[in-house]
Amino acid sequence: DRGETWEQLPKPPWCPRFGHQALCFGNEVVVLAGNTGSNLEKDIWASPDSAVSWERLPDPPWEARRGHRAVHCPNGVVMLCAGWNGSVRLHDVWISTDQCRTWQDLGNAPWLPRYSFAAVACLDSSILVIGGDGGDLDDPGYLQDVWRTDDTGTTWQALPAPPWSGRRGHQCLRWFDGSIVILGGVTSNGKRCNDVWRSVDRGESWTEMPESSWCARMSCGVCILPDSSQLVLGGTDGRRALRDVWRSSEKGRTRRSGRRGPSWTRLPEAPWAARFNFPVVVTDSGQVLIFGGW
C-alpha cells in the first residue's frame, strides 16, 4: 500500500548488517555483502519469493566490503563497485550477467576510490557514479564529481562538475521519465542535507528542485513506486536514527519559484526500528522491502 503499513517477514538466515546492497529481479531479491558490526562480509543471499525464504549463492571473487553500490541495468547487467574493505577505499568494478551468480573483474576505475557514494543506471544502461567519501587515507574528502560509463564499467568519462556540494550518504533514483535525482547526504562540514537535484541529460547538468518537506538526513532509504511516486524512509539526522516515511506526489507540481518538483506527504510512522544505512527494493508485484541497517 505504498508505504502506509508494514509487515515483518520471517527472520532471514543471513546475519544482521548495515552498509549492504539489495537488488530485485522481478520478485527475486538479492542481498550483497555489508558490515555485521564485527566483520565485513562478501556473502550473497537470494530469495525467490520476495524475502520469505533464502539461499546462499556462491561466494564472489571480490573483497568483503561495506558502503559499495550495486546497480541493475535495463540490459540485465549488474555492476558492483567500490566500497570500504576495512583498510582502504576501493574503486574496483565487477559485473554479473546471471543475477549475481558469477562475476567478471573489470579492474579499477579511473575515478577516486570511495564508499558511501551513489550510483544509478540510466534508461540506456549507462551508469553514473556520484560523489561519496573519497580519496585515500592521506587525502580524504567528500567528493563532488560525476562519472559515467556507457559500456557497463569498461570505460569511464568524467562529467562537468555539478553545482551541488560534495557529499556522502546521499541517495540516487531514476525517475520513470529517465531523469536522475539525488537527494540528502552530509557535506564535509557535517551539514545534513534535504536538497534534491535533478539531471535530464544523464548527469551532464543539474537543476535544484524545490526544498523537500522531510528533515535533512543521510543514509536514508529511497525507492520509486509503480505509480511513479517515491518514498524516503528513515536515515539519520546526525543526532538520532529516524523511522519516518515520506511519499512524494506522482509527477510533482509547480511551485511559486517556477521549478517543478514533488510535493511530499508524511505517512504513518513505521513499526520497524529507527535505522540508517539500509537498502530498499520494490518487487514486480509492488511490495516495498527494506533489509537490515544500523
Side-chain angles (χ1 to χ4, degrees):
D1 57 1
R2 305 166 64 228
E4 298 270 354
T5 61
W6 297 86
E7 172 191 358
Q8 185 170 10
L9 298 179
K11 185 177 180 180
W14 40 269
C15 53
R17 64 191 63 200
F18 66 95
H20 49 307
Q21 288 285 277
L23 298 171
C24 189
F25 308 99
N27 289 316
E28 179 186 57
V29 294
V30 176
V31 169
L32 306 97
N35 191 337
T36 65
S38 56
N39 293 298
L40 294 176
E41 300 292 342
K42 59 183 287 183
D43 53 346
I44 303 177
W45 293 82
S47 171
D49 48 17
S50 302
V52 175
S53 62
W54 295 87
E55 169 195 10
R56 184 166 181 168
L57 301 184
D59 279 351
W62 35 264
E63 293 180 73
R65 63 190 68 201
R66 68 172 173 90
H68 51 296
R69 291 295 178 264
V71 296
H72 181 209
C73 300
N75 64 9
V77 176
V78 170
M79 188 193 78
L80 180 141
C81 62
W84 172 260
N85 72 357
S87 299
V88 297
R89 300 167 180 85
L90 304 170
H91 60 145
D92 53 343
V93 178
W94 299 79
I95 62 170
S96 174
T97 57
D98 55 7
Q99 299 181 1
C100 304
R101 271 66 180 175
T102 61
W103 298 87
Q104 177 186 352
D105 182 5
L106 298 186
N108 286 331
W111 33 265
L112 284 172
R114 66 192 66 203
Y115 72 100
S116 194
F117 59 105
V120 66
C122 302
L123 282 177
D124 64 355
S125 292
S126 60
I127 300 170
L128 302 181
V129 163
I130 303 171
D133 189 323
D136 54 40
L137 291 177
D138 297 322
D139 185 24
Y142 290 2
L143 300 173
Q144 191 185 3
D145 57 349
V146 182
W147 291 76
R148 187 175 69 221
T149 174
D150 294 320
D151 50 16
T152 326
T154 301
T155 60
W156 294 86
Q157 173 189 2
L159 300 184
W164 38 261
S165 303
R167 64 189 64 198
R168 66 180 288 260
H170 49 297
Q171 296 295 336
C172 192
L173 291 167
R174 184 184 76 233
W175 283 359
F176 280 103
D177 65 2
S179 60
I180 303 301
V181 173
I182 71 163
L183 52 87
V186 60
T187 63
S188 57
N189 63 6
K191 178 185 176 183
R192 270 65 180 176
C193 305
N194 66 340
D195 52 349
V196 181
W197 295 80
R198 182 184 180 211
S199 174
V200 298
D201 52 12
R202 301 189 306 150
E204 297 273 354
S205 62
W206 299 85
T207 301
E208 187 172 10
M209 308 296 285
E211 185 174 303
S212 55
S213 304
W214 35 269
C215 69
R217 66 190 65 203
M218 63 176 289
S219 302
C220 57
V222 296
C223 66
I224 292 285
L225 299 175
D227 65 357
S228 300
S229 62
Q230 57 196 12
L231 294 182
V232 169
L233 313 94
T236 173
D237 63 4
R239 303 185 306 274
R240 65 191 188 281
L242 306 170
R243 62 171 181 166
D244 53 345
V245 180
W246 293 80
R247 187 173 64 220
S248 76
S249 58
E250 179 181 349
K251 295 182 179 178
R253 65 180 181 181
T254 301
R255 305 296 181 89
R256 291 181 180 177
S257 64
R259 294 174 293 171
R260 286 187 65 84
S263 57
W264 294 90
T265 300
R266 183 167 184 170
L267 302 183
E269 189 146 294
W272 34 264
R275 68 190 66 201
F276 58 96
N277 226 341
F278 63 98
V280 185
V281 301
V282 181
T283 68
D284 276 4
S285 60
Q287 286 183 300
V288 179
L289 303 174
I290 70 169
F291 305 88
W294 180 261

